[in-house]
Amino acid sequence: MAARRRTQRAAVFRAIADPTRREILSLLRRGPHTVGAIAANFRTSRPAISKHLRLLRSVGLVATRQDGTARVCQLNARPLRAVSEWLRDYEAFLGQSLRSLKRYVEEDGR
């Protein structure tokens, strides 16, 4: 189970590593969009956007449904929990680092 979770987490990280895919997720955060409406927000070709959507769908970040001739995409944020869990491991470290920086700045200012 742990190996499967690591594999899923790695796939999600790879998916969100690309700025175009992050922008697609940002669009879908506002609500469902057709593939055409998503593609209209980018200068890249519609087939390139479709390829990004396929990858996002393969890791579970995007769900699609057919509505007549249009394919409607919707955000599924559940897989992003893996990212959140990973970041949680570093929050204590970041908090301590920020507290140390604050102490340093305050002491240096005296």
Side-chain angles (χ1 to χ4, degrees):
M1 181 72 166
R4 184 174 178 215
R5 199 172 324 159
R6 279 192 302 272
T7 301
Q8 172 67 15
R9 181 173 54 204
V12 171
F13 272 102
R14 279 191 303 277
I16 65 173
D18 184 275
T20 300
R21 291 192 286 268
R22 288 193 307 270
E23 184 61 28
I24 290 170
L25 293 175
S26 184
L27 286 169
L28 294 176
R29 202 176 51 211
R30 298 178 201 133
H33 286 67
T34 63
V35 173
I38 293 168
N41 287 278
F42 298 92
R43 290 186 160 189
T44 56
S45 68
R46 186 171 170 156
I49 296 302
S50 290
K51 186 175 179 181
H52 285 297
L53 286 167
R54 273 193 301 279
L55 191 143
L56 291 169
R57 203 170 45 246
S58 74
V59 299
L61 286 166
V62 170
T64 59
R65 63 179 166 78
Q66 202 68 34
D67 186 10
T69 59
R71 180 166 290 200
V72 179
C73 300
Q74 184 172 335
L75 174 66
N76 175 24
R78 228 173 274 133
L80 291 173
R81 286 183 185 155
V83 175
S84 178
E85 290 168 4
W86 183 82
L87 286 171
R88 207 170 308 130
D89 293 341
Y90 292 90
E91 285 175 351
F93 172 76
L94 291 172
Q96 181 59 41
S97 295
L98 290 173
R99 284 189 294 279
S100 296
L101 176 62
K102 181 178 185 264
R103 263 195 315 275
Y104 174 78
V105 169
E106 288 172 347
E107 290 171 3
D108 195 44
R110 291 183 197 166

